[in-house]
Amino acid sequence: MAVPTDPRPDEPLDDPHFSDDIVVAETITQVDQEETTGAPPRNRKRVRKLVRRVFGDARRGAQTLLTPVPNEPIAPVPPTAVSTDSRLLRHSPFSIGFFGAIGVLVAWALAMAVMEVQGILILVVMALFLALGLSPAVDFLARRRVPRGLAVFLVTVAALGVIASGFTALVPILTEQAQSLVKNLPGLLNNLRQNKQIADLDREFGIIEQVRQFLTSGTLLQNLFGGIWGAGRILANVVFSLIMTLVLTIYFLASLPSIKEIIYHLAPASRRPRARYLADEIFGGVSGYITGMFLIVTVASVSSFIYMNIAGLGQYSLALAFVVALFCFIPIIGSSLAMVVVAIVAFATNPTLGIVTIIYFLIYQQFDAYVLYPNILKRTVKVPGALVILSAIIGGTLLGIIGAVIAIPTTAALLLLYREVVQPHLDTS
């Protein structure tokens, strides 16, 4: 009996059923040989098992393919729970009112706490602005390999030297003028009686005598400062404010890099580069404004000092130049106030000199407004003119002179945040 064999015995056989067929064929061949030779049939049971396994697997596979798969039931989707009741209805009106009252009390307590420490907060902000204004000088020395501590010390000593020299020149003049006024007051009042109208009013109402008693009895001091105790409190507050501002300015100036790093790390890590850029722009704008104001004030005071020495006010030139520097820090109205003070002294010396002083300050104001101020601040503070005036008025109304000084750089910082944050968000939405 002929048995078919694989024509390619060297190739691998991957089909398991094909290998079983080879085993079956070999077993049948052995059975045929046993029948031919007359040997006992030893492999018949083996052949039956192999045949049953091969055809049994085929039958089970056919049954699996032909048996239909039952459809599994799909679980129903649970309905979405929609609550028609408002969250406010879950609480009683008493609890709502109670917790609302607690929120109002907490907000009121925080507002009162801020009002109590308002003076300290103003000093902190003022010291920070001064530190930002003096930081370019410290950085300049630090770039020349001067240790930062020594650079802070040198800049602080230089600033205190300028302030001390100004007060040293101003205080003696104020004291001298006050003593002269008290000494000459009776004669000045008697000279008023030379006027006929004033003499008639004085005979009828005793005006000059009442004015003399008011100025010499201490009532003026009581009304202005609340008496000696009130004047002492005001002096103590001024000294405390100056010392605190000086200490905070030195501290901020020495630790300004670490303060900036702390502010940078308040932003999330993903937005930290952007926050660093915005903070650096704000710090640069504030520093540039304060530094520019120092330069503008220096030019104004030096120009006034030179003019007063030429015009014949040499004995008051240093003190009045210091007064001009103090007033010029105030935006908008500072130069006008300085003009009034210097003009009063000039009129007391010579009326013609007073008129010339007013003309000088008017000319200098045009130079300051159209040449000096724009060229110095145009690269650091980008604030429209209308906003400059409005911010200075609002800052002066809220926080006085200090508010007027810090109002313009604050407005510049807010405009920067609007251009860099709010406006791109509005353009993309």
Side-chain angles (χ1 to χ4, degrees), residues 130-371:
L130 290 176
L132 290 174
L134 295 174
S135 62
V138 176
D139 295 336
F140 175 80
L141 295 176
R143 287 193 297 268
R144 268 65 182 176
R145 297 182 180 181
V146 178
R148 187 170 183 85
L150 181 59
V152 171
F153 175 76
L154 294 177
V155 172
T156 303
V157 169
L160 290 178
V162 173
I163 296 174
S165 62
F167 276 107
T168 302
L170 182 62
V171 172
I173 292 177
L174 293 178
T175 304
E176 179 185 353
Q177 294 299 318
Q179 293 175 353
S180 176
L181 178 63
V182 172
K183 181 180 179 180
N184 298 327
L185 183 61
L188 295 175
L189 294 176
N190 291 328
N191 290 335
L192 292 176
R193 290 191 176 96
Q194 303 299 325
N195 188 286
K196 182 178 179 181
Q197 288 80 9
I198 295 177
D200 294 339
L201 292 175
D202 181 56
R203 283 192 297 269
E204 185 175 356
F205 300 103
I207 295 177
I208 296 178
E209 183 63 24
Q210 292 180 8
V211 171
R212 186 184 65 79
Q213 292 179 358
F214 177 75
L215 294 177
T216 58
S217 63
T219 307
L220 178 62
L221 180 64
Q222 180 70 27
N223 293 335
L224 290 178
F225 305 108
I228 298 178
W229 175 250
R233 289 183 59 186
I234 293 176
L235 181 61
N237 289 332
V238 170
V239 173
F240 173 78
S241 299
L242 290 177
I243 294 176
M244 284 295 298
T245 303
L246 176 62
V247 172
L248 290 174
T249 302
I250 296 174
Y251 172 76
F252 288 148
L253 197 59
S255 58
L256 194 59
S258 59
I259 292 175
K260 289 182 179 180
E261 289 297 328
I262 292 174
I263 295 175
Y264 297 152
H265 283 81
L266 293 177
S270 59
R271 301 181 180 179
R272 196 163 296 161
R274 181 66 173 172
R276 180 185 294 270
Y277 165 75
L278 294 176
D280 287 340
E281 288 292 323
I282 292 175
F283 289 145
V286 174
S287 178
Y289 173 77
I290 301 298
T291 305
M293 287 301 298
F294 280 141
L295 183 57
I296 291 173
V297 167
T298 301
V299 173
S301 58
V302 170
S303 301
S304 300
F305 179 79
I306 295 173
Y307 161 75
M308 284 181 283
N309 278 282
I310 295 175
L313 296 174
Q315 57 179 341
Y316 307 114
S317 58
L318 183 59
L320 291 179
F322 183 70
V323 172
V324 170
L326 292 179
F327 279 118
C328 285
F329 272 108
I330 305 174
I332 302 173
I333 62 173
S335 59
S336 299
L337 294 176
M339 179 184 68
V340 171
V341 173
V342 178
I344 290 174
V345 177
F347 273 112
T349 303
N350 188 347
T352 305
L353 183 59
I355 296 175
V356 174
T357 301
I358 293 177
I359 295 174
Y360 160 77
F361 273 97
L362 290 177
I363 295 174
Y364 180 81
Q365 285 179 359
Q366 306 306 312
F367 169 75
D368 180 76
Y370 293 101
V371 178

Side-chain angles (χ1 to χ4, degrees), residues 113-126 240-241 244-245 248 399 402:
V114 172
M115 293 299 295
E116 287 293 330
V117 299
Q118 179 183 5
I120 301 298
L121 294 178
I122 292 175
L123 293 180
V124 171
V125 174
M126 189 65 185
F240 173 78
S241 299
M244 284 295 298
T245 303
L248 290 174
L399 301 177
I402 297 178

